[in-house]
Each structure stands twice: as C-alpha cells, then as structure tokens.
Amino acid sequence: MSNDDLHIGLWILVADWLIRIAALLWIPARTRSSAARSWLLLIGFVPLLGLPAYLLLGHPWLSKLRRERQAQASRLIRQRQMPLTALRWCPADTFSAQADAARLVERLGDFMPTNGNAVELLDDYAGSLQRLVDDIDAATREVNLLYYLMRDDATGRKVADALERAARRGVRCRLLLDAVGAKPGLRAFRRTLRDAGVSVQATLAGGFAWRRSARMDLRNHRKIAVIDGRLALTGSQNLADPEFVPGHPNREVVARVRGPVVAQLQALFASDWYIETGEVLEVDAPPIAPSGHVAAQLLPSGPAYPFENARDVLIALVQRARRRAVLVTPYFVPDEATLGALRVAALSGVSVQLILSATNNQRLTAWAQAGFYDELLAAGVRIALYRPHFLHAKHLSIDDDIALVGSSNLDIRSFMLNAEAGLLCFDAGVVARLREIELDYLRESDVLDTEDWTRRPAWRRSVEGIARLADSFL
C-alpha cells in the first residue's frame, strides 16, 4: 500500500469520526430524542451517507415566508371567530372529556367548536366519489378542492370533467394539489382545466424547488372539498380509483357536512391557498340557522403549527376515555407518547381496539408496525387485521360521544411532517354510525391472538425490531 493510499485512508477515518462527533453534538439539541436516536444510529454506521441524509430530511423546516403566512392565517381565523359567539358549542359539563378536547383543539388549531352541523359518514368508495361529482355539478358559485393525490385514471378524469363543466358555466373553481402526491393528475389535467377557467395550483413543490419552500419530503396530505360555502367533504379518500396501488383496493371513510364547520374547512383551504400563492380569499360567514344538531370542530395539523396537533389531541382523547377507544388507521408507527397512552388506557381497564389493514402497500412500514404488537397485546390492547381491502380509512371513536374522522395516520410522518385535517364530532349519533362501520370491519378481520403472535419465528422478530428503529424515517 502506497503512502498516498495511507493518507487517503487516514483522512477518511478522521472525517468519519468528525461527522460522528459533530452529529452527537448537533442532532440531539435540534431533533426530538426518539428521532435523534434513529439518525445517530444511521450516521454511526454510515457517516458519509447519514450526514447528507440528515441535512436533507432530519428536521421539518419550513421557509420563513410559509411560517409567517401560517401565523397570519391563524390570527385572522381567531379574529373572525370572536363575534360568532352564537355559534359556539358549550358542553353541559365543562369538566367532561368533550369539553377538554374542544378546548385543546381550539388552542392548538385555532377553530372553535360549533353548534348546528349535519354530518353524514360515507364508507362506499364509488358512492362517496359520485356524491362529490354530483355536488360539483350542482354548484352555482364556487368549488374549492384540496387533495393529496389525484391520478390520471377514471376517477381523476371524472372529477376533472366535473370541474371543467362547472367552470364553463361560470362557477369559480380552484384545485390545490400536493405537488408530489398528485403529480400524475397535475401532469394530465392542469392545462385542460386552466384553459376551462379552473385555477390549478400545486403545493409544496418537489425537486429542486423545495429549497425555496420547505424540507423536500413535507407533504400536504389533506382531503377537502367545499362547495358554494354550504357543504363540504373531508376524510381519507383521494381522487383516484380504489385500486390505484395494484392489489390493494382502498376502503375509506368520508364525512359530508353542512353547517358552521363548513366555514372552518373553507378557511383551512383559504389558508393553504394563501400560504402557497399569497392570494387572500374571502370566506363566507357561517350560517346562523342550524343545518343539524351535531357539535363539530376542525382540527388542522402540520409542521407550520408550533405543536404536533394531531398527536396531542389523539393522546388526550385516549387518556380521557373511560370505557372504550377504537382506532382505525392504515399505517401505525407511533411515537413513545402515543404508544404509552394506548398502553396505560388498556391497563386501566378501557377497552382499546386497534383496527389495521391486513395488507400494506409499504413493506418497511408493515415490518415496523408489527414490531409494536407485542407491547400492545401484553397491555391488553386488541388488534384486528382487516382482510378484504387495504383499509385506508383514518378515524377513532371514544366512549359514546366523541368521533374523529380525517386524513391523519397514526404514525410519526403524519404527526410531524404532513399537513392534515380532522373533523371532531361531539355527538352520540355520529359515534353510533361510526360504530356500525367499525363493527363491519371487525366482522371481516382476523383478531391477533397473543399466544400465536409470540410463536412467530425469531428471524421475523429481528426484522421487525430493525424496521422499528427506522420509525422516524417512515
């Protein structure tokens, strides 16, 4: 070996150790401890790969402009709600779980709980999409759509055609799509829709443009449609055929709502539109006359907020459960706080039911998810694996009077990195309807047996443990 080779090897060794030491000093002070451990482990094994990966993906930063616009939007939302005291819902028991949740959601996400809403839960995939198309066709004034994913398929074309028809008859139409998740739809429909008069905008640009806006893997994962300021749809369903991932036909839940909470969904759309474009949209005042009898409140979350709104509310709801908590999610990669809340609730005697999909379109996530089952089963959490479809629905019910339906998965990515939206309903009727859907899942699910699960092969335990170490990357 030549002297030059020795010098090169020495410099590589020195660089490796300098990176490790710098990472140890830098990362724990700027990253949540659970994520810091994962990044330090990666950098410890492969410093020259781990360091640039951390610089790109290690911290959920947003540009100063985006953070300022989010703060401005939050201030405006709070100011415009102040005179609307007649619409504020006040629970009879100010010390109940409902009251605690409503206060927490308002402080985290700006929106107050409102009276007089009508909420219809739709769990038929084709039927809910047809309702969206019919609502667009019935629009007379304005259509605003915000979606994470839009595909160039039959469903994407059906929605695009409805928007084109609406725009050509004089309806003001806006379509806000995630730049990465909806890339096929943007590529297929943007020019045609713009020619018809639809305002089409991508949010959180990918590629090299990320440097001007946000960390490159931050995504807008919300699904919101607002029609004429009078009705809205939100939930887990994207603008795509059910089997847009071959072999994994999706099952979803969508909330179709009327009443004051529609103005909150409109305001959230307007906030995202303003953050992306700088254009301020006028939001109609919510109707004073009630559309129904449901108390409801919007829960937005995402990296632009100071806290992890979706995670904090989930933990608070589970902690306040007294009899039953049912959680449905396609991706379950919880942080320690969420895992602890589920464990403590089950050990305290609450019936905690987790309903997950038996199939998963993300292999590493599936391995990591399985790595949490031992601890949950030991605490008494029941785990059911739904067989017929890829269960993409995201909702939970607490006791008999709190329901949450939205776009957020129970994973660190949704809690920290994605912009999400959830609809919180304080209503026994909505919870009863959600129970019907949950029972239908359970009828077609395999219940995980603790003894059978503990007999799985040792190699599988090892793979699950290794995958779980990557929880902060998933």
Side-chain angles (χ1 to χ4, degrees), residues 70 145-149 176 178 219-224 234-235 237-238 268-269 271-272 275 299-305 309 407-408 418-422:
Q70 175 63 67
L145 304 186
L146 164 59
Y147 281 86
Y148 168 67
L149 192 151
L176 183 59
D178 184 81
R219 303 270 52 90
N220 192 319
H221 197 239
R222 294 167 178 154
K223 292 93 176 170
I224 295 172
T234 190
Q237 189 170 31
N238 287 293
L268 185 57
F269 175 90
S271 296
D272 282 357
I275 290 169
L299 169 64
S301 62
Y305 291 90
N309 296 1
S407 65
S408 179
N418 291 344
E420 307 280 6

PDB file of all heavy atoms in Angstrom, residues 70 145-149 176 178 219-224 234-235 237-238 268-269 271-272 275 299-305 309 407-408 418-422:
ATOM      1  N   GLN A  70     -48.612  31.269   7.709  1.00  0.00           N
ATOM      2  CA  GLN A  70     -49.434  30.435   8.585  1.00  0.00           C
ATOM      3  C   GLN A  70     -49.827  31.209   9.841  1.00  0.00           C
ATOM      4  O   GLN A  70     -50.984  31.149  10.285  1.00  0.00           O
ATOM      5  CB  GLN A  70     -48.681  29.166   8.970  1.00  0.00           C
ATOM      6  CG  GLN A  70     -49.409  28.283   9.981  1.00  0.00           C
ATOM      7  CD  GLN A  70     -50.708  27.746   9.441  1.00  0.00           C
ATOM      8  OE1 GLN A  70     -50.722  26.939   8.517  1.00  0.00           O
ATOM      9  NE2 GLN A  70     -51.844  28.170  10.010  1.00  0.00           N
ATOM     10  N   LEU A 145     -61.238  22.624  -4.070  1.00  0.00           N
ATOM     11  CA  LEU A 145     -60.780  21.269  -3.780  1.00  0.00           C
ATOM     12  C   LEU A 145     -59.314  21.302  -3.366  1.00  0.00           C
ATOM     13  O   LEU A 145     -58.486  21.950  -4.010  1.00  0.00           O
ATOM     14  CB  LEU A 145     -60.926  20.353  -4.997  1.00  0.00           C
ATOM     15  CG  LEU A 145     -62.305  20.199  -5.645  1.00  0.00           C
ATOM     16  CD1 LEU A 145     -62.248  19.140  -6.740  1.00  0.00           C
ATOM     17  CD2 LEU A 145     -63.370  19.857  -4.630  1.00  0.00           C
ATOM     18  N   LEU A 146     -59.001  20.574  -2.302  1.00  0.00           N
ATOM     19  CA  LEU A 146     -57.630  20.395  -1.830  1.00  0.00           C
ATOM     20  C   LEU A 146     -57.425  18.906  -1.597  1.00  0.00           C
ATOM     21  O   LEU A 146     -58.089  18.316  -0.732  1.00  0.00           O
ATOM     22  CB  LEU A 146     -57.400  21.181  -0.532  1.00  0.00           C
ATOM     23  CG  LEU A 146     -56.165  20.818   0.309  1.00  0.00           C
ATOM     24  CD1 LEU A 146     -54.881  20.986  -0.488  1.00  0.00           C
ATOM     25  CD2 LEU A 146     -56.126  21.653   1.586  1.00  0.00           C
ATOM     26  N   TYR A 147     -56.489  18.293  -2.351  1.00  0.00           N
ATOM     27  CA  TYR A 147     -56.265  16.847  -2.228  1.00  0.00           C
ATOM     28  C   TYR A 147     -54.786  16.528  -2.316  1.00  0.00           C
ATOM     29  O   TYR A 147     -54.023  17.198  -3.011  1.00  0.00           O
ATOM     30  CB  TYR A 147     -57.039  16.085  -3.314  1.00  0.00           C
ATOM     31  CG  TYR A 147     -58.504  15.931  -2.980  1.00  0.00           C
ATOM     32  CD1 TYR A 147     -59.417  16.930  -3.313  1.00  0.00           C
ATOM     33  CD2 TYR A 147     -58.964  14.821  -2.281  1.00  0.00           C
ATOM     34  CE1 TYR A 147     -60.762  16.815  -2.977  1.00  0.00           C
ATOM     35  CE2 TYR A 147     -60.308  14.687  -1.952  1.00  0.00           C
ATOM     36  CZ  TYR A 147     -61.198  15.686  -2.299  1.00  0.00           C
ATOM     37  OH  TYR A 147     -62.524  15.571  -1.958  1.00  0.00           O
ATOM     38  N   TYR A 148     -54.442  15.468  -1.596  1.00  0.00           N
ATOM     39  CA  TYR A 148     -53.059  14.981  -1.627  1.00  0.00           C
ATOM     40  C   TYR A 148     -52.752  14.265  -2.922  1.00  0.00           C
ATOM     41  O   TYR A 148     -51.680  14.430  -3.508  1.00  0.00           O
ATOM     42  CB  TYR A 148     -52.826  14.044  -0.434  1.00  0.00           C
ATOM     43  CG  TYR A 148     -51.538  13.269  -0.527  1.00  0.00           C
ATOM     44  CD1 TYR A 148     -50.303  13.907  -0.444  1.00  0.00           C
ATOM     45  CD2 TYR A 148     -51.550  11.886  -0.699  1.00  0.00           C
ATOM     46  CE1 TYR A 148     -49.115  13.201  -0.542  1.00  0.00           C
ATOM     47  CE2 TYR A 148     -50.362  11.173  -0.790  1.00  0.00           C
ATOM     48  CZ  TYR A 148     -49.158  11.833  -0.713  1.00  0.00           C
ATOM     49  OH  TYR A 148     -47.984  11.122  -0.810  1.00  0.00           O
ATOM     50  N   LEU A 149     -53.689  13.468  -3.394  1.00  0.00           N
ATOM     51  CA  LEU A 149     -53.399  12.599  -4.529  1.00  0.00           C
ATOM     52  C   LEU A 149     -54.504  12.710  -5.569  1.00  0.00           C
ATOM     53  O   LEU A 149     -55.691  12.649  -5.243  1.00  0.00           O
ATOM     54  CB  LEU A 149     -53.275  11.153  -4.020  1.00  0.00           C
ATOM     55  CG  LEU A 149     -52.703  10.075  -4.943  1.00  0.00           C
ATOM     56  CD1 LEU A 149     -52.018   8.997  -4.102  1.00  0.00           C
ATOM     57  CD2 LEU A 149     -53.818   9.426  -5.756  1.00  0.00           C
ATOM     58  N   LEU A 176     -56.291  22.720  -5.552  1.00  0.00           N
ATOM     59  CA  LEU A 176     -54.991  22.779  -4.888  1.00  0.00           C
ATOM     60  C   LEU A 176     -54.544  21.346  -4.621  1.00  0.00           C
ATOM     61  O   LEU A 176     -55.220  20.607  -3.901  1.00  0.00           O
ATOM     62  CB  LEU A 176     -55.103  23.569  -3.585  1.00  0.00           C
ATOM     63  CG  LEU A 176     -53.825  23.796  -2.777  1.00  0.00           C
ATOM     64  CD1 LEU A 176     -52.780  24.549  -3.592  1.00  0.00           C
ATOM     65  CD2 LEU A 176     -54.143  24.554  -1.485  1.00  0.00           C
ATOM     66  N   ASP A 178     -51.212  18.468  -3.866  1.00  0.00           N
ATOM     67  CA  ASP A 178     -49.837  18.249  -3.445  1.00  0.00           C
ATOM     68  C   ASP A 178     -48.970  17.986  -4.674  1.00  0.00           C
ATOM     69  O   ASP A 178     -49.316  17.174  -5.536  1.00  0.00           O
ATOM     70  CB  ASP A 178     -49.771  17.060  -2.488  1.00  0.00           C
ATOM     71  CG  ASP A 178     -48.374  16.859  -1.950  1.00  0.00           C
ATOM     72  OD1 ASP A 178     -47.988  17.552  -1.009  1.00  0.00           O
ATOM     73  OD2 ASP A 178     -47.646  16.000  -2.514  1.00  0.00           O
ATOM     74  N   ARG A 219     -45.348  17.062   3.071  1.00  0.00           N
ATOM     75  CA  ARG A 219     -46.443  16.902   2.118  1.00  0.00           C
ATOM     76  C   ARG A 219     -47.731  17.489   2.692  1.00  0.00           C
ATOM     77  O   ARG A 219     -47.947  17.494   3.905  1.00  0.00           O
ATOM     78  CB  ARG A 219     -46.680  15.416   1.795  1.00  0.00           C
ATOM     79  CG  ARG A 219     -45.463  14.702   1.250  1.00  0.00           C
ATOM     80  CD  ARG A 219     -45.379  14.767  -0.278  1.00  0.00           C
ATOM     81  NE  ARG A 219     -45.483  16.057  -0.860  1.00  0.00           N
ATOM     82  CZ  ARG A 219     -44.439  16.877  -1.104  1.00  0.00           C
ATOM     83  NH1 ARG A 219     -43.231  16.548  -0.757  1.00  0.00           N
ATOM     84  NH2 ARG A 219     -44.640  18.032  -1.696  1.00  0.00           N
ATOM     85  N   ASN A 220     -48.610  17.972   1.786  1.00  0.00           N
ATOM     86  CA  ASN A 220     -49.959  18.365   2.170  1.00  0.00           C
ATOM     87  C   ASN A 220     -50.862  17.161   1.926  1.00  0.00           C
ATOM     88  O   ASN A 220     -51.187  16.829   0.783  1.00  0.00           O
ATOM     89  CB  ASN A 220     -50.437  19.578   1.378  1.00  0.00           C
ATOM     90  CG  ASN A 220     -51.700  20.169   1.979  1.00  0.00           C
ATOM     91  OD1 ASN A 220     -52.595  19.443   2.393  1.00  0.00           O
ATOM     92  ND2 ASN A 220     -51.776  21.490   2.031  1.00  0.00           N
ATOM     93  N   HIS A 221     -51.249  16.508   3.002  1.00  0.00           N
ATOM     94  CA  HIS A 221     -51.958  15.226   2.949  1.00  0.00           C
ATOM     95  C   HIS A 221     -53.467  15.400   3.156  1.00  0.00           C
ATOM     96  O   HIS A 221     -54.200  14.425   3.300  1.00  0.00           O
ATOM     97  CB  HIS A 221     -51.366  14.317   4.041  1.00  0.00           C
ATOM     98  CG  HIS A 221     -51.671  12.874   3.896  1.00  0.00           C
ATOM     99  ND1 HIS A 221     -52.334  12.151   4.860  1.00  0.00           N
ATOM    100  CD2 HIS A 221     -51.396  11.996   2.906  1.00  0.00           C
ATOM    101  CE1 HIS A 221     -52.453  10.899   4.482  1.00  0.00           C
ATOM    102  NE2 HIS A 221     -51.904  10.769   3.295  1.00  0.00           N
ATOM    103  N   ARG A 222     -53.959  16.647   3.156  1.00  0.00           N
ATOM    104  CA  ARG A 222     -55.371  16.907   3.418  1.00  0.00           C
ATOM    105  C   ARG A 222     -56.242  16.513   2.228  1.00  0.00           C
ATOM    106  O   ARG A 222     -55.788  16.499   1.083  1.00  0.00           O
ATOM    107  CB  ARG A 222     -55.569  18.390   3.742  1.00  0.00           C
ATOM    108  CG  ARG A 222     -54.907  18.799   5.045  1.00  0.00           C
ATOM    109  CD  ARG A 222     -54.830  20.289   5.225  1.00  0.00           C
ATOM    110  NE  ARG A 222     -54.229  20.625   6.529  1.00  0.00           N
ATOM    111  CZ  ARG A 222     -53.598  21.733   6.804  1.00  0.00           C
ATOM    112  NH1 ARG A 222     -53.479  22.676   5.871  1.00  0.00           N
ATOM    113  NH2 ARG A 222     -53.079  21.943   8.002  1.00  0.00           N
ATOM    114  N   LYS A 223     -57.511  16.202   2.547  1.00  0.00           N
ATOM    115  CA  LYS A 223     -58.520  15.924   1.524  1.00  0.00           C
ATOM    116  C   LYS A 223     -59.760  16.742   1.872  1.00  0.00           C
ATOM    117  O   LYS A 223     -60.503  16.401   2.800  1.00  0.00           O
ATOM    118  CB  LYS A 223     -58.885  14.442   1.477  1.00  0.00           C
ATOM    119  CG  LYS A 223     -57.766  13.525   0.987  1.00  0.00           C
ATOM    120  CD  LYS A 223     -56.941  12.982   2.098  1.00  0.00           C
ATOM    121  CE  LYS A 223     -55.896  12.007   1.586  1.00  0.00           C
ATOM    122  NZ  LYS A 223     -54.917  11.642   2.635  1.00  0.00           N
ATOM    123  N   ILE A 224     -59.989  17.817   1.143  1.00  0.00           N
ATOM    124  CA  ILE A 224     -61.070  18.741   1.460  1.00  0.00           C
ATOM    125  C   ILE A 224     -61.752  19.185   0.171  1.00  0.00           C
ATOM    126  O   ILE A 224     -61.080  19.543  -0.805  1.00  0.00           O
ATOM    127  CB  ILE A 224     -60.535  19.989   2.198  1.00  0.00           C
ATOM    128  CG1 ILE A 224     -59.955  19.609   3.568  1.00  0.00           C
ATOM    129  CG2 ILE A 224     -61.631  21.035   2.370  1.00  0.00           C
ATOM    130  CD1 ILE A 224     -59.244  20.758   4.259  1.00  0.00           C
ATOM    131  N   THR A 234     -64.724  15.807   3.695  1.00  0.00           N
ATOM    132  CA  THR A 234     -63.356  15.625   4.169  1.00  0.00           C
ATOM    133  C   THR A 234     -63.221  14.224   4.729  1.00  0.00           C
ATOM    134  O   THR A 234     -64.193  13.594   5.114  1.00  0.00           O
ATOM    135  CB  THR A 234     -62.989  16.685   5.229  1.00  0.00           C
ATOM    136  OG1 THR A 234     -61.598  16.632   5.511  1.00  0.00           O
ATOM    137  CG2 THR A 234     -63.764  16.460   6.526  1.00  0.00           C
ATOM    138  N   GLY A 235     -61.998  13.726   4.765  1.00  0.00           N
ATOM    139  CA  GLY A 235     -61.758  12.373   5.255  1.00  0.00           C
ATOM    140  C   GLY A 235     -60.463  11.823   4.718  1.00  0.00           C
ATOM    141  O   GLY A 235     -59.456  12.536   4.649  1.00  0.00           O
ATOM    142  N   GLN A 237     -60.248   9.883   1.647  1.00  0.00           N
ATOM    143  CA  GLN A 237     -60.319   9.456   0.251  1.00  0.00           C
ATOM    144  C   GLN A 237     -59.657  10.452  -0.695  1.00  0.00           C
ATOM    145  O   GLN A 237     -59.907  11.652  -0.635  1.00  0.00           O
ATOM    146  CB  GLN A 237     -61.773   9.252  -0.159  1.00  0.00           C
ATOM    147  CG  GLN A 237     -61.959   8.596  -1.514  1.00  0.00           C
ATOM    148  CD  GLN A 237     -63.411   8.196  -1.744  1.00  0.00           C
ATOM    149  OE1 GLN A 237     -64.327   8.848  -1.245  1.00  0.00           O
ATOM    150  NE2 GLN A 237     -63.633   7.129  -2.479  1.00  0.00           N
ATOM    151  N   ASN A 238     -58.811   9.926  -1.593  1.00  0.00           N
ATOM    152  CA  ASN A 238     -58.157  10.729  -2.616  1.00  0.00           C
ATOM    153  C   ASN A 238     -58.955  10.710  -3.914  1.00  0.00           C
ATOM    154  O   ASN A 238     -59.980  10.016  -4.027  1.00  0.00           O
ATOM    155  CB  ASN A 238     -56.751  10.181  -2.872  1.00  0.00           C
ATOM    156  CG  ASN A 238     -55.784  10.489  -1.757  1.00  0.00           C
ATOM    157  OD1 ASN A 238     -55.438  11.637  -1.527  1.00  0.00           O
ATOM    158  ND2 ASN A 238     -55.334   9.458  -1.045  1.00  0.00           N
ATOM    159  N   LEU A 268     -59.629  26.762   6.158  1.00  0.00           N
ATOM    160  CA  LEU A 268     -58.399  25.981   6.055  1.00  0.00           C
ATOM    161  C   LEU A 268     -57.921  25.919   4.609  1.00  0.00           C
ATOM    162  O   LEU A 268     -56.721  26.048   4.333  1.00  0.00           O
ATOM    163  CB  LEU A 268     -58.615  24.575   6.611  1.00  0.00           C
ATOM    164  CG  LEU A 268     -57.376  23.684   6.671  1.00  0.00           C
ATOM    165  CD1 LEU A 268     -56.257  24.329   7.494  1.00  0.00           C
ATOM    166  CD2 LEU A 268     -57.729  22.310   7.222  1.00  0.00           C
ATOM    167  N   PHE A 269     -58.854  25.723   3.682  1.00  0.00           N
ATOM    168  CA  PHE A 269     -58.477  25.778   2.266  1.00  0.00           C
ATOM    169  C   PHE A 269     -57.893  27.146   1.921  1.00  0.00           C
ATOM    170  O   PHE A 269     -56.848  27.240   1.251  1.00  0.00           O
ATOM    171  CB  PHE A 269     -59.687  25.494   1.375  1.00  0.00           C
ATOM    172  CG  PHE A 269     -59.382  25.647  -0.097  1.00  0.00           C
ATOM    173  CD1 PHE A 269     -58.931  24.572  -0.838  1.00  0.00           C
ATOM    174  CD2 PHE A 269     -59.511  26.890  -0.735  1.00  0.00           C
ATOM    175  CE1 PHE A 269     -58.623  24.719  -2.190  1.00  0.00           C
ATOM    176  CE2 PHE A 269     -59.191  27.042  -2.075  1.00  0.00           C
ATOM    177  CZ  PHE A 269     -58.751  25.954  -2.802  1.00  0.00           C
ATOM    178  N   SER A 271     -56.426  29.225   3.851  1.00  0.00           N
ATOM    179  CA  SER A 271     -55.105  29.364   4.465  1.00  0.00           C
ATOM    180  C   SER A 271     -54.041  28.703   3.613  1.00  0.00           C
ATOM    181  O   SER A 271     -52.979  29.279   3.353  1.00  0.00           O
ATOM    182  CB  SER A 271     -55.114  28.745   5.863  1.00  0.00           C
ATOM    183  OG  SER A 271     -55.985  29.443   6.720  1.00  0.00           O
ATOM    184  N   ASP A 272     -54.312  27.475   3.173  1.00  0.00           N
ATOM    185  CA  ASP A 272     -53.339  26.761   2.341  1.00  0.00           C
ATOM    186  C   ASP A 272     -53.138  27.461   0.996  1.00  0.00           C
ATOM    187  O   ASP A 272     -52.022  27.511   0.469  1.00  0.00           O
ATOM    188  CB  ASP A 272     -53.790  25.321   2.118  1.00  0.00           C
ATOM    189  CG  ASP A 272     -53.527  24.437   3.330  1.00  0.00           C
ATOM    190  OD1 ASP A 272     -52.943  24.937   4.311  1.00  0.00           O
ATOM    191  OD2 ASP A 272     -53.885  23.249   3.304  1.00  0.00           O
ATOM    192  N   ILE A 275     -50.966  30.518   1.774  1.00  0.00           N
ATOM    193  CA  ILE A 275     -49.579  30.129   2.051  1.00  0.00           C
ATOM    194  C   ILE A 275     -48.854  29.805   0.753  1.00  0.00           C
ATOM    195  O   ILE A 275     -47.677  30.146   0.582  1.00  0.00           O
ATOM    196  CB  ILE A 275     -49.550  28.926   3.019  1.00  0.00           C
ATOM    197  CG1 ILE A 275     -49.997  29.380   4.422  1.00  0.00           C
ATOM    198  CG2 ILE A 275     -48.156  28.307   3.090  1.00  0.00           C
ATOM    199  CD1 ILE A 275     -50.248  28.237   5.375  1.00  0.00           C
ATOM    200  N   LEU A 299     -59.905  20.150  13.195  1.00  0.00           N
ATOM    201  CA  LEU A 299     -58.566  20.012  13.761  1.00  0.00           C
ATOM    202  C   LEU A 299     -57.546  19.978  12.621  1.00  0.00           C
ATOM    203  O   LEU A 299     -57.339  18.943  11.997  1.00  0.00           O
ATOM    204  CB  LEU A 299     -58.456  18.728  14.588  1.00  0.00           C
ATOM    205  CG  LEU A 299     -57.043  18.327  15.024  1.00  0.00           C
ATOM    206  CD1 LEU A 299     -56.445  19.373  15.962  1.00  0.00           C
ATOM    207  CD2 LEU A 299     -57.042  16.946  15.679  1.00  0.00           C
ATOM    208  N   PRO A 300     -56.894  21.114  12.317  1.00  0.00           N
ATOM    209  CA  PRO A 300     -55.784  21.091  11.358  1.00  0.00           C
ATOM    210  C   PRO A 300     -54.478  20.778  12.075  1.00  0.00           C
ATOM    211  O   PRO A 300     -54.311  21.082  13.253  1.00  0.00           O
ATOM    212  CB  PRO A 300     -55.779  22.520  10.803  1.00  0.00           C
ATOM    213  CG  PRO A 300     -56.283  23.351  11.950  1.00  0.00           C
ATOM    214  CD  PRO A 300     -57.200  22.481  12.771  1.00  0.00           C
ATOM    215  N   SER A 301     -53.554  20.172  11.366  1.00  0.00           N
ATOM    216  CA  SER A 301     -52.236  19.906  11.939  1.00  0.00           C
ATOM    217  C   SER A 301     -51.205  19.944  10.828  1.00  0.00           C
ATOM    218  O   SER A 301     -51.538  19.861   9.643  1.00  0.00           O
ATOM    219  CB  SER A 301     -52.203  18.544  12.647  1.00  0.00           C
ATOM    220  OG  SER A 301     -52.463  17.489  11.730  1.00  0.00           O
ATOM    221  N   GLY A 302     -49.928  20.065  11.221  1.00  0.00           N
ATOM    222  CA  GLY A 302     -48.866  20.110  10.232  1.00  0.00           C
ATOM    223  C   GLY A 302     -47.645  20.828  10.768  1.00  0.00           C
ATOM    224  O   GLY A 302     -47.680  21.435  11.846  1.00  0.00           O
ATOM    225  N   PRO A 303     -46.554  20.789  10.031  1.00  0.00           N
ATOM    226  CA  PRO A 303     -45.298  21.377  10.511  1.00  0.00           C
ATOM    227  C   PRO A 303     -45.329  22.889  10.645  1.00  0.00           C
ATOM    228  O   PRO A 303     -44.445  23.465  11.285  1.00  0.00           O
ATOM    229  CB  PRO A 303     -44.285  20.928   9.456  1.00  0.00           C
ATOM    230  CG  PRO A 303     -45.090  20.631   8.234  1.00  0.00           C
ATOM    231  CD  PRO A 303     -46.396  20.124   8.734  1.00  0.00           C
ATOM    232  N   ALA A 304     -46.338  23.563  10.098  1.00  0.00           N
ATOM    233  CA  ALA A 304     -46.428  25.018  10.244  1.00  0.00           C
ATOM    234  C   ALA A 304     -46.964  25.418  11.615  1.00  0.00           C
ATOM    235  O   ALA A 304     -46.863  26.589  11.995  1.00  0.00           O
ATOM    236  CB  ALA A 304     -47.322  25.605   9.145  1.00  0.00           C
ATOM    237  N   TYR A 305     -47.534  24.477  12.358  1.00  0.00           N
ATOM    238  CA  TYR A 305     -48.052  24.770  13.693  1.00  0.00           C
ATOM    239  C   TYR A 305     -46.958  24.538  14.737  1.00  0.00           C
ATOM    240  O   TYR A 305     -46.078  23.697  14.551  1.00  0.00           O
ATOM    241  CB  TYR A 305     -49.262  23.901  14.001  1.00  0.00           C
ATOM    242  CG  TYR A 305     -50.473  24.248  13.165  1.00  0.00           C
ATOM    243  CD1 TYR A 305     -50.700  23.628  11.943  1.00  0.00           C
ATOM    244  CD2 TYR A 305     -51.392  25.203  13.595  1.00  0.00           C
ATOM    245  CE1 TYR A 305     -51.806  23.945  11.160  1.00  0.00           C
ATOM    246  CE2 TYR A 305     -52.496  25.533  12.823  1.00  0.00           C
ATOM    247  CZ  TYR A 305     -52.695  24.896  11.612  1.00  0.00           C
ATOM    248  OH  TYR A 305     -53.782  25.224  10.837  1.00  0.00           O
ATOM    249  N   ASN A 309     -50.292  18.825  16.513  1.00  0.00           N
ATOM    250  CA  ASN A 309     -51.699  18.913  16.882  1.00  0.00           C
ATOM    251  C   ASN A 309     -52.412  17.567  16.882  1.00  0.00           C
ATOM    252  O   ASN A 309     -53.119  17.231  17.835  1.00  0.00           O
ATOM    253  CB  ASN A 309     -52.430  19.872  15.937  1.00  0.00           C
ATOM    254  CG  ASN A 309     -51.931  21.294  16.042  1.00  0.00           C
ATOM    255  OD1 ASN A 309     -51.021  21.597  16.811  1.00  0.00           O
ATOM    256  ND2 ASN A 309     -52.516  22.186  15.263  1.00  0.00           N
ATOM    257  N   SER A 407     -57.661  12.732   7.847  1.00  0.00           N
ATOM    258  CA  SER A 407     -56.636  12.281   6.892  1.00  0.00           C
ATOM    259  C   SER A 407     -55.375  11.780   7.571  1.00  0.00           C
ATOM    260  O   SER A 407     -54.480  11.273   6.899  1.00  0.00           O
ATOM    261  CB  SER A 407     -56.273  13.439   5.954  1.00  0.00           C
ATOM    262  OG  SER A 407     -55.658  14.503   6.675  1.00  0.00           O
ATOM    263  N   SER A 408     -55.274  11.912   8.898  1.00  0.00           N
ATOM    264  CA  SER A 408     -54.021  11.630   9.586  1.00  0.00           C
ATOM    265  C   SER A 408     -53.893  10.158   9.951  1.00  0.00           C
ATOM    266  O   SER A 408     -54.782   9.572  10.571  1.00  0.00           O
ATOM    267  CB  SER A 408     -53.909  12.475  10.861  1.00  0.00           C
ATOM    268  OG  SER A 408     -52.700  12.192  11.536  1.00  0.00           O
ATOM    269  N   ASN A 418     -46.633  15.916   7.788  1.00  0.00           N
ATOM    270  CA  ASN A 418     -47.718  16.149   6.841  1.00  0.00           C
ATOM    271  C   ASN A 418     -48.689  17.204   7.350  1.00  0.00           C
ATOM    272  O   ASN A 418     -48.973  17.259   8.551  1.00  0.00           O
ATOM    273  CB  ASN A 418     -48.512  14.862   6.598  1.00  0.00           C
ATOM    274  CG  ASN A 418     -47.734  13.821   5.831  1.00  0.00           C
ATOM    275  OD1 ASN A 418     -46.717  14.114   5.219  1.00  0.00           O
ATOM    276  ND2 ASN A 418     -48.211  12.594   5.864  1.00  0.00           N
ATOM    277  N   ALA A 419     -49.216  18.018   6.437  1.00  0.00           N
ATOM    278  CA  ALA A 419     -50.370  18.845   6.752  1.00  0.00           C
ATOM    279  C   ALA A 419     -51.607  17.965   6.678  1.00  0.00           C
ATOM    280  O   ALA A 419     -51.849  17.311   5.661  1.00  0.00           O
ATOM    281  CB  ALA A 419     -50.479  20.001   5.767  1.00  0.00           C
ATOM    282  N   GLU A 420     -52.381  17.906   7.768  1.00  0.00           N
ATOM    283  CA  GLU A 420     -53.525  17.004   7.870  1.00  0.00           C
ATOM    284  C   GLU A 420     -54.758  17.778   8.306  1.00  0.00           C
ATOM    285  O   GLU A 420     -54.663  18.918   8.787  1.00  0.00           O
ATOM    286  CB  GLU A 420     -53.243  15.886   8.880  1.00  0.00           C
ATOM    287  CG  GLU A 420     -51.962  15.104   8.657  1.00  0.00           C
ATOM    288  CD  GLU A 420     -52.079  14.040   7.578  1.00  0.00           C
ATOM    289  OE1 GLU A 420     -53.137  13.971   6.909  1.00  0.00           O
ATOM    290  OE2 GLU A 420     -51.112  13.271   7.387  1.00  0.00           O
ATOM    291  N   ALA A 421     -55.920  17.140   8.175  1.00  0.00           N
ATOM    292  CA  ALA A 421     -57.168  17.743   8.637  1.00  0.00           C
ATOM    293  C   ALA A 421     -58.039  16.655   9.244  1.00  0.00           C
ATOM    294  O   ALA A 421     -58.180  15.567   8.677  1.00  0.00           O
ATOM    295  CB  ALA A 421     -57.907  18.422   7.485  1.00  0.00           C
ATOM    296  N   GLY A 422     -58.630  16.961  10.411  1.00  0.00           N
ATOM    297  CA  GLY A 422     -59.541  16.027  11.053  1.00  0.00           C
ATOM    298  C   GLY A 422     -60.806  16.743  11.485  1.00  0.00           C
ATOM    299  O   GLY A 422     -60.766  17.920  11.875  1.00  0.00           O
TER     300      GLY A 422
END
